[in-house]
Amino acid sequence: MDAGNWSQVTEFVILGFPHLQGVQAYLFVLLLLIYVTTVLGNLLVFLVVRLDSQLHTPMYHFVSILSLLELGYTAATVPKMLSNLLREEKTISFSGCLLQIYVFHSLGATECYLLTAMAYDRYLAICRPLHYSTLMTPARCAKIAVGCWLGGLAGPVAEISLVSRLPFCGPNRIQHIFCDFPPVLSLACTDTSINVLVDFAINSCKILATFLLILSSYVQIVRTVLRIPSVAGKTKAFSTCASHLTVVLIFYGSILFMYVRLKSSYSLDCDRALAVIYSVLTPFLNPFVYSLRNKDIKEAVRRQLKRSGILIE
């Protein structure tokens, strides 16, 4: 298209859930309850781990960072979703859209790296227990955490830079529940094959590489656990991995289908459903996975409640 025949789009319209117009109010209440529970749950896990000295171990250090990540991850998208459910004009500025994409993808990438670090931590604890304390020192644990953050924050920079240079001349209606690379690229007034290829390459390397590393860690863990003679020993070893493995399966189960593809092979409604799983349900479920299934955190919560005078036995 001739550059002189179009005007740059300055804002987008996020369509959200167009087939659920009649139940927007109920959807708002449900999403609000989920978001409040997500914030309170992840904040509780983060504070309990930080305040309870018995949880100052590498595993729970990573758990607290994961909870902090989930707070930012949901804050990047859910408040805007809630706002759009109450407004007739569901608009977002061009710069605001790019910022939402950057924050969402950078924190998502950080979570991929962090889940990989947590798998490595479990591998060392179970497969190399005699060397665990010397291999996973507090200093090394901190360096791994910083590396996860830096890698995640740098991840989407190239993609955002390429998208910011594209011409958008209309239409400006995003067929999704928040700003994301695929639906935004589909609105560009020029060929986006380079952007799609770069997006696919980065996501494939990031998601598949971390997932395969996690998988290889668990293959070694399973081999080691199966050599433990007692049933009690096997159960104890597997129980330390159950929460992390649950989160990995939920998170990667959705993002693999969403981002490791060159073009959409699903319906728009399917894309929206997948987005709800990894952007809303996974952060919502994490505190329950790490508290209801974790004896150490439940006991730590009880200790903190006693210390504050809220719980008296």
Side-chain angles (χ1 to χ4, degrees):
M1 180 178 289
D2 185 3
N5 294 332
W6 56 264
S7 57
Q8 181 72 17
V9 167
T10 58
E11 65 180 18
F12 294 107
V13 177
I14 302 176
L15 295 183
F17 304 94
H19 302 310
L20 301 175
Q21 294 295 330
V23 292
Q24 296 278 11
Y26 299 106
L27 195 59
F28 172 82
V29 173
L30 177 62
L31 187 58
L32 179 62
L33 289 174
I34 290 175
Y35 182 56
V36 171
T37 305
T38 300
V39 171
L40 293 178
N42 282 290
L43 190 60
L44 175 65
V45 173
F46 176 78
L47 291 176
V48 165
V49 172
R50 291 299 173 184
L51 293 174
D52 196 290
S53 58
Q54 294 187 37
L55 296 182
H56 290 177
T57 63
M59 181 178 77
Y60 291 113
H61 174 69
F62 291 136
V63 168
S64 70
I65 296 175
L66 179 63
S67 294
L68 188 62
L69 265 177
E70 300 294 26
L71 291 172
Y73 195 60
T74 52
T77 56
V78 177
K80 186 61 178 176
M81 287 187 214
L82 290 169
S83 172
N84 287 342
L85 287 171
L86 297 179
R87 297 169 58 189
E88 289 294 328
E89 296 185 358
K90 310 176 191 300
T91 58
I92 185 171
S93 67
F94 179 73
S95 58
C97 187
L98 291 184
L99 179 62
Q100 185 180 66
I101 295 174
Y102 172 75
V103 173
F104 184 73
H105 276 266
S106 62
L107 294 182
T110 304
E111 182 160 346
C112 287
Y113 302 140
L114 186 66
L115 289 173
T116 307
M118 294 170 77
Y120 177 65
D121 173 72
R122 291 300 81 208
Y123 160 75
L124 291 179
I126 295 173
C127 300
R128 304 185 65 182
L130 298 179
H131 302 93
Y132 178 73
S133 59
T134 57
L135 291 173
M136 191 60 75
T137 62
R140 180 167 295 176
C141 185
K143 289 178 181 178
I144 291 174
V146 170
C148 292
W149 279 103
L150 293 178
L153 294 175
V157 171
E159 295 161 282
I160 289 291
S161 176
L162 288 173
V163 172
S164 67
R165 300 173 187 175
L166 292 174
F168 293 90
C169 51
N172 67 338
R173 298 163 72 83
I174 295 176
Q175 299 278 352
H176 205 44
I177 59 176
F178 51 79
C179 287
D180 203 357
F181 285 120
V184 169
L185 287 176
S186 69
L187 301 178
C189 300
T190 187
D191 178 45
T192 59
S193 56
I194 295 298
N195 300 75
V196 172
L197 187 60
V198 170
D199 188 41
F200 172 75
I202 291 176
N203 285 330
S204 297
C205 291
K206 174 178 60 187
I207 295 172
L208 289 177
T210 54
F211 182 70
L212 290 175
L213 285 172
I214 292 171
L215 188 61
S216 65
S217 295
Y218 274 103
V219 168
Q220 296 301 319
I221 287 171
V222 170
R223 287 178 177 175
T224 301
V225 171
L226 290 178
R227 290 198 293 266
I228 298 175
S230 67
V231 175
K234 292 178 181 178
T235 303
K236 182 179 179 181
F238 274 128
S239 67
T240 64
C241 304
S243 298
H244 174 258
L245 189 57
T246 302
V247 172
V248 167
L249 292 175
I250 296 172
F251 183 68
Y252 278 92
S254 55
I255 65 171
L256 279 168
F257 286 105
M258 188 68 186
Y259 293 111
V260 185
R261 56 184 182 177
L262 279 171
K263 61 180 181 179
S264 179
S265 53
Y266 315 113
S267 67
L268 293 174
D269 289 336
C270 183
D271 281 351
R272 291 187 180 100
L274 288 171
V276 168
I277 292 173
Y278 65 77
S279 67
V280 178
L281 292 184
T282 301
F284 169 73
L285 292 173
N286 280 359
F288 295 98
V289 171
Y290 279 107
S291 59
L292 296 180
R293 295 177 58 90
N294 192 294
K295 182 180 178 182
D296 293 337
I297 288 186
K298 286 191 289 186
E299 290 180 351
V301 170
R302 192 175 293 110
R303 284 194 297 270
Q304 293 303 316
L305 291 176
K306 284 183 182 179
R307 194 171 299 168
S308 60
I310 298 175
L311 181 63
I312 301 175
E313 292 184 353

